[in-house]
Amino acid sequence: MKKIWIGFGIALLVILLVKVFTGESGDKTALITRTSKDGRDKTFHKDAAAQEPSLARANLDVLEGNYANKADSIVAFALQRYGVEYNYGGATEEGFDCSGFTTYVYKKFGVDIPHGSSLQAKEGVSVPLKQARKGDLLIFTGTNVEDRTPGHVGIVMTGPEKKIQFVHSSSNGGVKVSEVMGTLYEKRFLDVRRLF
């Protein structure tokens, strides 16, 4: 009888561990990765589009969505890649680096830019941060703030009337949403490029 109870306990523990690590449904894709440990991403996660598992990964139907303009379509398409893993040199749904992500997203809407943050920093027209608008390309330094050469890029989601948010592929979390103001990205900021 003792062996039966031990076996039952082990089976129960295994089931519990599976639910903890894969979510209630047992499907890892249903989980949404947090973008920050300090909880500043709560507003984004309250967004219904971010919470729907079917929208968390690639879904090309967004191209047929009823969006007001090209910028809205670009941002919606980019957000559907939320959670895709970071992959150095990557420019596909299997994984993106920062400039591979922006190249991939813009190309779907007829805006061809080269793969590489230094090259992308020369594309389009420079505009002040105060005039950034949805769909613009943000240029940042790499992780070394002292080195003022382009090293990271992202796509503007919200204009300066709010805290500027952008979607990007980061080596720390893959495709995610971050803010410029009040973060290290504000110190790393170099330029805004208008591509269309």
Side-chain angles (χ1 to χ4, degrees):
M1 187 72 165
K2 188 175 182 181
K3 289 182 182 180
I4 293 173
W5 282 108
I6 292 173
F8 178 74
I10 291 172
L12 188 60
L13 181 63
V14 168
I15 291 169
L16 181 63
L17 288 173
V18 167
K19 286 193 176 201
V20 166
F21 288 106
T22 62
E24 289 295 322
S25 67
D27 179 11
K28 286 184 181 181
T29 61
L31 297 177
I32 296 178
T33 306
R34 294 189 64 77
T35 60
S36 66
K37 292 180 182 177
D38 63 5
R40 288 185 164 179
D41 58 346
K42 287 180 184 173
T43 302
F44 178 74
H45 285 287
K46 288 179 185 172
D47 182 350
Q51 292 176 353
E52 289 294 325
S54 62
L55 297 179
R57 296 295 300 234
N59 177 356
L60 297 180
D61 291 344
V62 70
L63 296 175
E64 298 171 12
N66 189 19
Y67 296 100
N69 54 47
K70 188 176 195 174
D72 287 341
S73 297
I74 286 172
V75 170
F77 183 78
L79 286 174
Q80 286 186 323
R81 272 94 206 127
Y82 188 83
V84 172
E85 293 181 13
Y86 181 87
N87 182 16
Y88 181 77
T92 70
E93 295 284 342
E94 298 299 314
F96 301 104
D97 66 8
C98 66
S99 61
F101 176 66
T102 54
T103 298
Y104 180 84
V105 171
Y106 285 122
K107 185 172 185 170
K108 293 293 181 185
F109 297 90
V111 180
D112 289 322
I113 56 174
H115 188 165
S117 53
S118 293
L119 296 171
Q120 289 183 9
K122 299 174 185 173
E123 295 292 310
V125 177
S126 178
V127 296
L129 184 60
K130 291 179 181 177
Q131 294 176 17
R133 66 182 184 208
K134 190 181 291 187
D136 285 345
L137 179 68
L138 286 173
I139 311 294
F140 301 97
T141 67
T143 53
N144 180 1
V145 179
E146 303 302 317
D147 180 0
R148 302 307 289 172
T149 58
H152 190 64
V153 292
I155 300 170
V156 176
M157 291 174 45
T158 58
E161 64 280 358
K162 300 178 182 178
K163 284 190 171 183
I164 295 176
Q165 292 184 319
F166 63 102
V167 57
H168 60 125
S169 183
S170 168
S171 58
N172 180 20
V175 177
K176 64 181 185 176
V177 173
S178 299
E179 288 184 1
V180 176
M181 277 60 125
T183 70
L184 182 59
Y185 287 110
E186 188 173 15
K187 293 178 182 175
R188 291 174 58 185
F189 173 77
L190 292 174
D191 198 8
V192 178
R193 307 298 296 187
R194 183 144 305 149
L195 303 178
F196 58 92

